[in-house]
Amino acid sequence: MKIITISREFGSGGRELGKRLADTLGFDYYDREIITAIAQAQGMDENYVEKALEGGMWQHIPLTYGQAFSGGAMMQAAQTGLLVEQRRVIEGIAKAGRDCVIVGRDADILLADQKPFTMFVCADMDAKVRRCMERAREGENLSRKAMMQNIARIDKARARSREMISDSKWGHGASYHMTVNTSGWEIKELTGAVADFVTRWFARTK
Amino acid sequence: MKIITISREFGSGGRELGKRLADTLGFDYYDREIITAIAQAQGMDENYVEKALEGGMWQHIPLTYGQAFSGGAMMQAAQTGLLVEQRRVIEGIAKAGRDCVIVGRDADILLADQKPFTMFVCADMDAKVRRCMERAREGENLSRKAMMQNIARIDKARARSREMISDSKWGHGASYHMTVNTSGWEIKELTGAVADFVTRWFARTK
């Protein structure tokens, strides 16, 4: 069984790269499917699960309430429950034994025993903002500054989530087998280059 | 003209990868040659030039002497002169117009106008220590701890040198087109995978 995990900066195109990579190699693809499985198992709304796992709901707790604010503890318990369920779902994917690409969710850490090929996908800030602008829903008119704050907030939550369960740093080269910067590439062409690289990794002799 | 620059963690095998990559692609290769050229131009000893550019000579100035210690200012002036000469040599390589691989020396920053393919090469700490042990000269018997301190010191100097002339961070994924972790690879096999990736980069349509 070959597993490729993709961690990525928000707006870098890591998800598109992962999807195309799975198509190119004929692998299964998991991303949003994990959220759906967790939501179903817990009888919760998908959007709530997504926000909670992104750490997005923390921003709604006023900091001035301090640590005594009981809502904080409740949310922390809910989030912990979701993280346990997420681990169960991801381990289930690995148990199925099929070649796959898994985007996000700290799958590289959770599945370390399965020896996945681990990737980090990043991009220049200008390219990330441009990608987010293109993807923005109609009527959503964030300024460039707000967009950059949004990117920083989500990436910070991703780093925190990884560093809760691992000593290795989110986004540092040595934490992954390969890191690619998507800036300057058509994702389609980059996919071919990455697919070849990964194929050589799985065929290596060491 | 195609230029590939390789920045690397000490002990990661980046130099071997660079040399093999140049051989595979039929490119010129520059590493130690740059030190030799600077030393000749300045009428200085090669080892002195190397140490000075690595920032290694700073460690011999006792911190307690403080900023008033005139030796510090003299060494800083000497180092600045060497950095200017290094820039001249590297720009000269680019002016020659031949495809090449340049290892280290912040060539990615100095030659940014030439749009090089920029790589960062890293490895797990265990692998770096092992590599350094294998390469140690006879009679050189550093402990594992001393070896790790040595690696950290050299990499810190490399980071500082880059960050003197660039806003982009040394070793961060987004600062390079591609980052590879050599751990788990035979460098020879990794070279083939990187050569294909780079070839696709230079042939891309965007």
Side-chain angles (χ1 to χ4, degrees), chain A residues 2-4 115-118 177 195-206, chain B residues 181-186 189-190 193:
Chain A
K2 302 181 185 86
I3 300 176
I4 300 168
K115 309 267 176 224
F117 179 82
T118 62
H177 291 118
D196 284 355
F197 192 94
V198 175
T199 301
R200 282 177 179 260
W201 166 262
F202 285 118
R204 79 198 186 287
T205 53
K206 191 167 177 178
Chain B
N181 184 325
T182 60
S183 303
W185 282 100
E186 297 285 354
E189 287 181 307
L190 174 58

Side-chain angles (χ1 to χ4, degrees), chain A residues 61-199:
Chain A
I61 307 171
L63 279 177
T64 45
Y65 276 57
Q67 303 210 335
F69 179 60
S70 65
M74 268 173 59
M75 286 203 196
Q76 198 155 15
Q79 198 179 34
T80 304
L82 290 174
L83 287 170
V84 169
E85 183 62 28
Q86 175 165 272
R87 179 186 288 261
R88 209 187 55 76
V89 169
I90 289 174
E91 286 172 351
I93 292 170
K95 280 207 193 90
R98 293 169 54 87
D99 296 342
C100 61
V101 174
I102 306 178
V103 174
R105 329 278 161 212
D106 299 319
D108 54 333
I109 305 296
L110 298 177
L111 299 182
D113 289 349
Q114 269 73 31
K115 309 267 176 224
F117 179 82
T118 62
M119 281 192 73
F120 187 78
V121 181
C122 58
D124 299 346
M125 182 54 87
D126 277 352
K128 291 191 288 187
V129 169
R130 214 161 40 239
R131 181 176 293 269
C132 291
M133 296 276 182
E134 285 165 14
R135 301 270 159 114
R137 271 166 293 215
E138 193 130 358
E140 211 179 61
N141 233 331
L142 285 181
S143 69
R144 183 183 158 82
K145 195 182 160 197
M147 200 70 93
M148 283 170 65
Q149 283 171 341
N150 210 25
I151 291 171
R153 183 182 58 76
I154 293 173
D155 284 352
K156 199 172 166 187
R158 287 178 180 172
R160 199 171 39 201
S161 155
R162 180 194 185 90
E163 287 159 20
M164 271 167 60
I165 56 172
S166 170
D167 284 339
S168 83
K169 294 259 179 217
W170 182 86
H172 280 221
S175 304
Y176 310 89
H177 291 118
M178 178 194 215
T179 300
V180 291
N181 185 326
T182 59
S183 303
W185 283 99
E186 298 285 352
I187 297 285
K188 198 176 158 183
E189 288 181 308
L190 174 57
T191 303
V194 170
D196 284 355
F197 192 94
V198 175
T199 301

Side-chain angles (χ1 to χ4, degrees), chain B residues 108-138:
Chain B
D108 55 333
I109 305 296
L110 298 176
L111 299 182
D113 289 348
Q114 269 74 31
K115 310 270 178 221
F117 179 83
T118 62
M119 283 193 72
F120 187 78
V121 181
C122 57
D124 300 346
M125 182 54 88
D126 276 353
K128 291 190 289 186
V129 170
R130 215 162 38 238
R131 181 176 293 269
C132 291
M133 296 275 183
E134 287 165 14
R135 302 269 158 114
R137 269 166 295 214
E138 194 131 358

Side-chain angles (χ1 to χ4, degrees), chain B residues 36-54:
Chain B
T36 307
I38 298 168
Q40 283 174 354
Q42 303 275 311
M44 286 174 171
D45 176 71
E46 271 190 44
N47 289 324
Y48 173 85
V49 170
E50 185 173 30
K51 278 251 176 310
L53 287 171
E54 255 180 12

